[in-house]
Amino acid sequence: MIIVVIGAQWGDEGKGKIVDLLAERFDIVARYQGGHNAGHSVYVGDRAFVLRLLPSGIVHEDKICVLGNGMVIDPKAFFEEADQLAEQGVRVTPERVRVSSRAHLILPYHRALDHTSEERLGNERVGTTLRGIGPAYEDKAGRRGIRVADALVPDVLRSRIERNLEDANRIILAYNGEALDADQIFDEISRLAERLAPFITDTTNFINKAARDGRSILIEGAQATLLDVDHGTYPFVTSSSTTAGGASIGLGLAPQRLTGVLGIVRTYTTRVGEGPFPTEMLEGEEELGQLIRERGREYGAVTRRPRRCGWFDAFATRYAAEINGFSSVALTKLDVLDALDEIKVCTGYRLDGREIDYFPAVSQDLRRIEPIYEKFPGWKSSTEGITEMDALPAEARSYVEFLSSAIGVEIGLISTGPERGQTIVCKDSTLARWLVD
Ligand code: GDP
Ligand code: IMO
Ligand code: MG
């Protein structure tokens, strides 16, 4: 069984919690895109983890974790995370962590270029995590990138760093930054590459062999559908293919190998960084936005930035369901809505006074969308930690049923708190079958 887990909105839907929960049932947990721009939180008892580069399966002692070819890896961030996990009693060893030889490296000049790029954009800036993600993917597409395997060949590493840094420094200097030194970068990366060497694997070969041997694989998406470089709210997106098709590319695993796709959907929407957000709580709803932000602790796991909050957008989520082919949905953070008197759901988009049946390609259009809302009564009682569907207040049950019909996908799981146990698995769902198969 091979299942892909994908965020349906703009990220931070609770992928970490769900992946950690499902990981129990799988042999291997793999990431296929992105880098340490991700922040996936996992709570186990009184221990809290934030996974950035490593798959959330790492918290389970006996799981093998794969960092696929589609990722961009900052080796310094990799070891910072590994050391932090070690302090928390989690072993990050070459036996259980495999880093693709084909993944691309994030180097110090990528971070510097991320800063200058945002500065150049001014008001049009993306609001990136400044981790160097975009510039590393630019080098990959521009065929100048340095792959993990290249770092083990000193001549190749040195000449590529020298060549790429020449260009990078021109841009950095033009924007009043400080030029970086090729020797210093080479020394730093060579040292880190030596430490990384035992983790480096032909993960394409590794994962295909595992699939042939019938081992189960859980594939963990980072970022989310509306941040996909093709299908998201371009240009306010990340630089990778976050959607289900990306899982095939980013691991070298044929599409027909995939058993199913699980969408992670929050009961409301958030967005960090810039870009259009049709259901954002703005004029007249700031207080509500603040309430959700506090109740849902909506502050970036990586950057600590306050997340913008908005109503559930069923129209955008239906688009996500189509692109990814969700077989089932895990609905997270039901408990955060416990305090609301009334809950709104966007069921359609109006542009220039006319209802549209497609998700706009152009950000300027997305900014002008008038959402069509339906209203639901709140339940005004605690759902925190509930584990049975029958124990939910009737209003909460009908809200969940409505979301399922509005996005056209079953809800296989409902999350009622950050911990593993605070979960309802919906009986007879596709997701429930995956868990017992
Ligand atoms: P990810 O990036 O998709 O993994 O999500 P993040 O970890 O960045 O943000 C989700 C936050 O919500 C984390 O702090 C989770 O612990 C928390 N969380 C997940 N599910 C629930 C839930 O059902 N209820 C509440 N209250 N918090 C949740
Ligand atoms: P997880 O996996 C939410 C956003 C950034 C910015 C845009 C581009 O935790 O859901 P980048 O640094 O990737 O070039 O930034 O994407 N972004 C995220 N937003 N959750 C994430 O990850 C994100 N990773 C990137 O805020 O708007
Ligand atoms: Mg996150």
Side-chain angles (χ1 to χ4, degrees):
M1 186 168 66
I2 304 183
I3 304 293
V4 191
V5 173
I6 309 257
Q9 299 155 325
W10 278 286
D12 305 321
E13 294 89 352
K15 298 175 290 289
K17 162 176 170 168
I18 305 298
V19 167
D20 168 66
L21 180 73
L22 301 182
E24 188 60 50
R25 151 81 196 73
F26 290 81
D27 301 313
I28 296 170
V29 187
R31 283 262 315 259
Y32 61 91
Q33 46 68 236
H36 65 312
N37 48 347
H40 297 178
S41 327
V42 172
Y43 290 92
V44 186
D46 55 5
R47 293 194 302 169
F49 303 91
V50 179
L51 290 314
R52 293 174 177 160
L53 262 171
L54 287 157
S56 302
I58 195 76
V59 175
H60 295 255
E61 272 293 316
D62 55 339
K63 308 299 169 193
I64 306 258
C65 289
V66 171
L67 282 70
N69 58 274
M71 293 186 72
V72 284
I73 294 171
D74 180 332
K76 195 162 163 238
F78 178 88
F79 286 111
E80 277 168 11
E81 188 168 333
D83 293 345
Q84 163 79 41
L85 284 165
E87 263 173 44
Q88 294 182 277
V90 174
R91 288 178 320 118
V92 180
T93 59
E95 290 72 44
R96 48 181 317 234
V97 176
R98 309 297 173 101
V99 177
S100 172
S101 47
R102 292 182 175 85
H104 279 250
L105 288 177
I106 297 182
L107 298 167
Y109 52 82
H110 292 127
R111 279 194 299 274
L113 290 173
D114 208 346
H115 277 97
T116 56
S117 163
E118 286 285 272
E119 207 175 298
R120 284 153 89 180
L121 286 167
N123 285 338
E124 297 283 295
R125 73 185 182 281
V126 178
T128 74
T129 59
L130 299 174
R131 300 294 192 266
I133 306 291
Y137 278 117
E138 280 178 48
D139 276 359
K140 172 180 174 176
R143 295 162 301 183
R144 307 177 282 275
I146 305 180
R147 306 211 287 187
V148 165
D150 298 329
L152 299 178
V153 189
D155 292 347
V156 173
L157 181 64
R158 187 182 283 282
S159 70
R160 298 250 176 104
I161 289 176
E162 281 172 359
R163 194 184 56 198
N164 291 350
L165 191 62
E166 221 176 273
D167 286 341
N169 272 341
R170 268 191 215 114
I171 300 173
I172 294 166
L173 285 171
Y175 286 87
N176 303 323
E178 245 174 71
L180 302 176
D181 178 61
D183 288 335
Q184 211 175 329
I185 295 177
F186 174 78
D187 290 345
E188 182 191 339
I189 299 300
S190 318
R191 257 199 319 275
L192 288 163
E194 217 167 280
R195 203 176 156 199
L196 195 63
F199 295 88
I200 302 174
T201 305
D202 186 322
T203 55
T204 310
N205 186 29
F206 176 83
I207 212 152
N208 276 287
K209 182 170 185 310
R212 280 198 305 276
D213 292 347
R215 297 176 82 193
S216 53
I217 305 168
L218 185 61
I219 304 178
E220 175 177 3
Q223 290 78 56
T225 306
L226 300 177
L227 290 171
D228 183 280
V229 68
D230 284 271
H231 305 290
T233 49
Y234 193 89
F236 302 97
V237 293
T238 190
S239 299
S240 65
S241 295
T242 58
T243 44
S248 261
I249 297 168
L251 287 166
L253 203 52
Q256 65 268 36
R257 287 262 189 217
L258 308 179
T259 314
V261 183
L262 176 67
I264 312 296
V265 171
R266 244 215 227 82
T267 51
Y268 52 94
T269 316
T270 71
R271 174 160 206 171
V272 235
E274 306 302 320
F277 183 177
T279 63
E280 184 166 13
M281 290 164 178
L282 292 172
E283 301 96 54
E285 293 187 320
E286 293 100 339
E287 269 179 39
L288 223 48
Q290 191 57 26
L291 179 72
I292 299 238
R293 189 171 303 118
E294 294 313 319
R295 286 188 58 82
R297 300 210 207 110
E298 299 297 354
Y299 295 89
V302 174
T303 56
R304 298 280 153 219
R305 289 180 289 178
R307 296 171 180 158
R308 297 155 67 191
C309 295
W311 296 110
F312 188 82
D313 188 340
F315 189 81
T317 313
R318 202 152 62 222
Y319 168 71
E322 180 147 84
I323 288 174
N324 293 298
F326 291 152
S327 337
S328 185
V329 154
L331 185 67
T332 60
K333 298 198 139 182
L334 184 69
D335 56 300
V336 175
L337 302 187
D338 287 350
L340 300 193
D341 295 318
E342 186 180 72
I343 301 167
K344 284 174 25 183
V345 176
C346 165
T347 53
Y349 279 7
R350 227 181 253 128
L351 183 62
D352 298 328
R354 225 173 298 140
E355 199 167 339
I356 55 172
D357 65 354
Y358 59 90
F359 190 79
V362 179
S363 278
Q364 284 85 335
D365 284 347
L366 272 163
R367 288 191 201 282
R368 292 191 296 119
I369 288 295
E370 296 163 67
I372 302 168
Y373 285 113
E374 284 201 30
K375 291 178 180 167
F376 294 83
W379 43 90
K380 302 284 280 178
S381 61
S382 173
T383 61
E384 198 188 333
I386 287 183
T387 56
E388 296 294 332
M389 197 67 166
D390 296 341
L392 286 180
E395 292 86 350
R397 272 205 308 273
S398 28
Y399 178 68
V400 170
E401 276 158 26
F402 179 80
L403 295 193
S404 172
S405 68
I407 59 182
V409 184
E410 71 158 39
I411 288 178
L413 180 157
I414 301 167
S415 174
T416 55
E419 296 206 19
R420 279 180 193 164
Q422 298 177 304
T423 306
I424 302 170
V425 178
C426 304
K427 291 192 185 75
D428 304 321
S429 62
T430 300
L431 178 67
R433 278 195 297 281
W434 289 341
L435 291 176
V436 292
D437 266 359

